[in-house]
Amino acid sequence: MKAVLAYSGGLDTSVILKLMQERLGAEVVTVTVDVGQKDDFKAVEEKAYKFGAVKHYHIDAKDEFADKYVSQAIKANALYEKAYPLATALSRPLIAEKLVEVAKKEGADVIAHGCTGKGNDQVRFNLGIHSLSPDTEILQPVMEWELSRDWEMEYAKRKGIPVSDKIYSIDENIWGRSIEGGILEDPMAEPPEEIFEWTVSPSLAPDEPDYITVDFENGVPTALNGEPSKLLDIILELNEKAGKHGVGRIDHIEDRTVGIKSREIYEAPAALTLIKAHYDLEKLILTKWVLEFKELVDSKWSWLVYTGLWFEPLREALDAFINEVEGNINGTVKVKLWKGNAIVVGRESENALYSKELATYEKFSTFDQKLAKGFIDLFGLQSVLAHNLKTVPKVSNLEGAKILAKKVS
Ligand code: ARG
């Protein structure tokens, strides 16, 4: 039996790598997909071979992740439950695709991963793999073989697999870092400072703000401070720049797809800054009707991605709507990074619906104020009538209608 294993080099996947050989006699091909996690990939590869991989694939998918997944998330202002920028969720369908590619190339009919049965990642991986390759069997050893952490530690010691005494469960890629477990499982406990790696505490952030500008084309960032760059580089630079000002910490009570409520801490400096800037530019450019409707689309899109339904036709249909609308989102946004905040302080676009001539309180305004009166009467017609019927003594429906008709005419 030949199997492909999604391999991070951590305790779970190293134990699984060994166990699959022992229990199933499997030839295991390991795959590590680089989506921007700050790992020592050379060490991961060495570990894979040391514990018996017949072949190891290291796939650098950072640009693909930025250009195909994160760019779409920016266009969708994607925040699950208004809070989580979906870093892990976005990476899973891409990793699933890479696993399937390697499985095809290697003639493997099984794909294994180290997810438990309690999280979201199993849903995302499994639905991704099933969608792309219905004949591939999925092996989920931590769940199927009921591997507990204690048992794994003991087994690892016996097999010479290095174990660390890490308290937290961490996942990271270019779009963010998630921290779960330990004291964080008490939702009342404030996150200890030591869990943060990408952001400084806002109270220790510089007193002086930094100002940045982001240029958008078709809804996607194309330049930082006027300097054209590919999306990946803009994200990496902003993670540094905004993280330095304490921007990007999120403390979120989250509804997992499998029903559990969990307490999640995230660091996502670039994600929060770019989504904020992007949404602000949309408000300058889009009609209020499109904005109102797009909010529904954005939240549904985020839900689909979170719950692992990336390959669902509805996601593609929503993307078609989003891409149509985003064709107009060109312009520049100015953001102030300061003491834990990314504050939009300016925006401009050739497509702006904002018009100073209309909006100004100065005399030169082109807005015809007299039109407002009739508009207001019609706009509030039913609401005023309903309120009058309830509160003004002896106004009948008929009388009320007459009074209003007179007013309006
Ligand atoms: N709660 C986040 C999500 O579901 C983060 C999950 C982190 N995954 C992990 N294997 N540690 O997307």
Side-chain angles (χ1 to χ4, degrees), residues 288 367 370-381 408:
K288 60 183 189 173
F367 185 81
K370 290 195 205 77
L371 292 175
K373 192 179 172 308
F375 166 76
I376 294 165
D377 287 338
L378 292 179
F379 176 69
L381 195 142
V408 170

Side-chain angles (χ1 to χ4, degrees), residues 36 45 48 87 109 124 142 152 154 165 227 232 268 305 308 327 350 403:
E45 172 163 358
D109 33 32
R124 299 165 183 152
V142 177
E152 281 187 23
E154 199 272 319
D165 45 8
E227 187 119 352
L232 174 63
V305 172
E350 68 215 11
I403 295 166

Side-chain angles (χ1 to χ4, degrees), residues 84 88-89 120-121 124 169 171 178 180 254 264 266 306:
Y84 165 42
T88 301
N120 294 311
D121 289 328
R124 299 165 183 152
S169 165
D171 186 65
S178 72
E180 297 163 298
E254 184 168 298
E264 308 278 327
Y266 301 106
Y306 184 82

Side-chain angles (χ1 to χ4, degrees), residues 47-238:
K47 216 166 164 187
Y49 284 120
K50 183 166 176 208
F51 296 111
V54 293
K55 193 164 177 184
H56 178 75
Y57 282 80
H58 171 82
I59 300 170
D60 179 354
K62 290 195 290 294
D63 274 305
E64 193 178 348
F65 183 49
D67 294 337
K68 274 183 32 195
Y69 295 81
V70 175
S71 66
Q72 215 52 35
I74 296 170
K75 290 192 241 176
N77 303 306
L79 293 173
Y80 176 65
E81 294 181 330
K82 300 191 168 73
Y84 165 42
L86 294 170
T88 301
L90 285 162
S91 73
R92 284 353 190 197
L94 171 66
I95 296 171
E97 191 185 314
K98 300 296 170 202
L99 294 171
V100 166
E101 270 170 33
V102 172
K104 292 241 153 81
K105 201 162 147 204
E106 291 290 329
D109 33 32
V110 173
I111 293 178
H113 60 70
C115 299
T116 69
K118 294 178 80 173
N120 294 311
D121 289 328
Q122 49 165 354
V123 184
R124 299 165 183 152
F125 279 139
N126 293 12
L127 293 181
I129 295 163
H130 286 322
S131 302
L132 296 168
S133 180
D135 294 333
T136 300
E137 201 188 308
I138 296 170
L139 179 68
Q140 222 172 307
V142 177
M143 182 193 75
E144 290 173 38
W145 296 342
E146 296 179 50
L147 307 180
S148 71
R149 197 168 163 84
D150 288 343
W151 186 89
E152 281 187 23
M153 300 271 265
E154 199 272 319
Y155 176 83
K157 271 188 206 130
R158 260 194 290 135
K159 300 290 168 183
I161 298 169
V163 291
S164 69
D165 45 8
K166 65 168 196 164
I167 307 165
Y168 302 103
S169 165
I170 313 274
D171 186 65
E172 63 177 9
N173 62 50
I174 58 164
W175 203 228
R177 177 169 181 269
S178 72
I179 311 127
E180 297 163 298
I183 180 80
L184 303 175
E185 287 179 355
D186 172 1
M188 190 61 178
E190 182 175 356
E193 202 46 45
E194 82 218 18
I195 67 167
F196 297 106
E197 278 185 10
W198 291 15
T199 54
V200 304
S201 166
S203 59
L204 299 176
D207 290 331
E208 287 305 306
D210 265 325
Y211 288 86
I212 56 153
T213 61
V214 185
D215 293 357
F216 288 86
E217 277 172 36
N218 302 321
V220 180
T222 52
L224 188 59
N225 293 330
E227 187 119 352
S229 311
K230 60 179 182 176
L231 182 56
L232 174 63
D233 290 342
I234 292 176
I235 292 168
L236 294 179
E237 201 174 327
L238 255 186

